[in-house]
Amino acid sequence: MRDTRESRLLLVLLVAIAFALITVDLRSGEQSPLDGARRGAATALGPVQEGVATAVDPVGNAIAAVRDSGDRHDRMQELEQEVIALKRELGSDDRNRARARELDGLLRVAGAGGYGVKPARVIAIGATQGFSWTVTIDAGSRDGLRPDMTVLNGDGLVGRITTVGRSTATVLLANDPDFTVGTRLEGTGELGFAAGRGGNAMTVQLLNGKAKVEEGDRLVTFGSHNSKPFVPGVPVGKVTEVERQTGDLTRTLRIRPFVSFSTLDLVGVVVEEPRKDPRDKVLRPDPRKPEPRPTVTVTATPGAEPGEEPAEEAAGEAADPQAPADGDAAAPEAGTEPDDQAATGAE
């Protein structure tokens, strides 16, 4: 193409249109007029992303297989192929065991909270929607998914669904700066709002500025109206720092999410809300709280000499069970003589 004035004007016009569309999309958020095109792109590109994710391992193995070539190293190549095959089998077994553990954790959380979940696998990170903290999962509208559904795993809250295609869906992660969720503090029930900070950190604004909070306290989701976008009782994170501020109406906490967002694999989308609020039941037992131990209390009788009463009680407990019968036999000494009683009985 020749470098003419018309071509330069066309290039400037296309760049201006691109910046205008980016600005409109960022300012409109989830209500963007480009949302329809975004859903269409997710539907069209979802199968491609899933296919690429499935093809990664074979491509890596093929590259490793042709890494060393040469007629003089045939035997070495055969040994390397055998090692690669063994590593592939071992790696597959490790992945299967890891996914089995993740599935067990997901089912534990779903059972404790009474959630109905649809399992899904993360197939892409940072979809084409922008610079948000997002992932793409291999489930979509054909699986009953809709926007504003809660996403979790065996550790806790992962995020919420923003865009749904036919076979894929986009999840906004809980650590995204635009992410906000209502929270409830374990035990006290203090309410607040958690927001993402990127990476593996979140902040919480407690509504009660005088609430008693300590490092290590844990939070769960408060829940939304009709459980959209959040169901109640999902573990969120643990308090790592309490900002010491006086006079404020709210109180700021820094928390570490239970979920590791950089290692996500198997997740679950809540397709059926719980019948009742599970509150803190989904949380694992707090390791800071020791198990209760039985205690023994000894009560002293007023007027007794120190150390004598416990000895008397111990002697009474160790006495012969036949002692009451001996007491009955000794009772006549206060009245009739024993010989007179025996004579009367003989008559």
Side-chain angles (χ1 to χ4, degrees):
M1 181 176 181
R2 297 178 59 186
D3 186 11
T4 63
R5 181 178 181 182
E6 289 79 6
S7 62
R8 289 195 296 270
L9 289 176
L10 179 60
L11 177 61
V12 172
L13 180 60
L14 292 176
V15 172
I17 293 175
F19 275 108
L21 291 175
I22 292 174
T23 303
V24 170
D25 189 30
L26 292 177
R27 291 182 175 274
S28 301
E30 296 183 8
Q31 304 298 326
S32 172
L34 303 178
D35 190 56
R38 184 180 297 112
R39 286 196 298 269
T43 302
L45 298 178
V48 177
Q49 292 177 330
E50 187 174 359
V52 170
T54 304
V56 169
D57 287 343
V59 171
N61 293 332
I63 293 175
V66 299
R67 180 180 54 192
D68 296 327
S69 61
D71 297 335
R72 295 177 301 174
H73 303 285
D74 292 340
R75 179 55 181 167
M76 185 180 295
Q77 289 182 357
E78 292 177 1
L79 294 176
E80 288 182 355
Q81 294 295 331
E82 293 179 4
V83 171
I84 291 173
L86 291 175
K87 286 184 177 180
R88 186 188 307 122
E89 294 178 2
L90 181 61
S92 177
D93 292 340
D94 291 341
R95 285 194 296 271
N96 291 336
R97 284 193 291 267
R99 287 178 179 174
R101 289 193 297 268
E102 292 181 1
L103 181 59
D104 289 341
L106 177 62
L107 295 178
R108 183 197 67 81
V109 170
Y115 313 124
V117 299
K118 167 63 180 177
R121 190 168 61 93
V122 174
I123 59 174
I125 301 175
T128 57
Q129 283 84 332
F131 301 98
S132 302
W133 289 78
T134 59
V135 296
T136 303
I137 59 177
D138 62 350
S141 58
R142 66 183 181 185
D143 303 295
L145 272 57
R146 298 185 300 276
D148 289 335
M149 282 185 166
T150 306
V151 183
L152 48 79
N153 67 2
D155 297 322
L157 180 67
V158 172
R160 62 181 177 87
I161 291 181
T162 56
T163 306
V164 179
R166 184 174 181 275
S167 60
T168 61
T170 301
V171 179
L172 182 67
L173 300 180
N175 64 340
D176 187 89
D178 292 332
F179 186 93
T180 304
V181 58
T183 60
R184 184 196 302 274
L185 196 64
E186 178 187 12
T188 63
E190 293 287 349
L191 303 181
F193 293 94
R197 295 177 54 206
N200 196 33
M202 300 179 71
T203 57
V204 175
Q205 293 286 338
L206 288 183
L207 301 183
N208 182 5
K210 298 181 180 180
K212 183 180 179 181
V213 188
E214 298 178 354
E215 294 184 9
D217 288 349
R218 302 180 296 180
L219 300 100
V220 299
T221 56
F222 175 71
S224 308
H225 179 64
N226 292 330
S227 297
K228 303 293 182 183
F230 302 110
V231 295
V234 181
V236 177
K238 180 183 297 186
V239 177
T240 58
E241 182 182 350
V242 181
E243 294 188 2
R244 306 296 180 183
Q245 297 178 349
T246 58
D248 293 342
L249 297 178
T250 61
R251 194 167 194 182
T252 303
L253 312 176
R254 296 185 182 275
I255 68 172
R256 183 177 67 253
F258 290 123
V259 172
S260 176
F261 300 104
S262 61
T263 59
L264 290 174
D265 185 12
L266 183 66
V267 299
V269 182
V270 180
V271 295
E272 182 178 349
E273 64 187 74
R275 295 182 179 180
K276 62 179 181 178
D277 188 349
R279 298 183 71 88
D280 305 337
K281 294 181 180 179
V282 185
L283 290 170
R284 298 177 184 271
D286 192 347
R288 299 178 304 164
K289 298 179 179 179
E291 297 182 359
R293 296 181 179 180
T295 57
V296 178
T297 303
V298 178
T299 305
T301 304
E305 291 295 333
E308 292 183 357
E309 185 62 27
E312 293 176 2
E313 291 181 357
E317 293 176 356
D320 188 359
Q322 299 299 326
D326 296 340
D328 293 338
E333 294 179 357
T336 310
E337 294 294 332
D339 295 338
D340 295 338
Q341 282 188 342
T344 305
E347 293 176 356

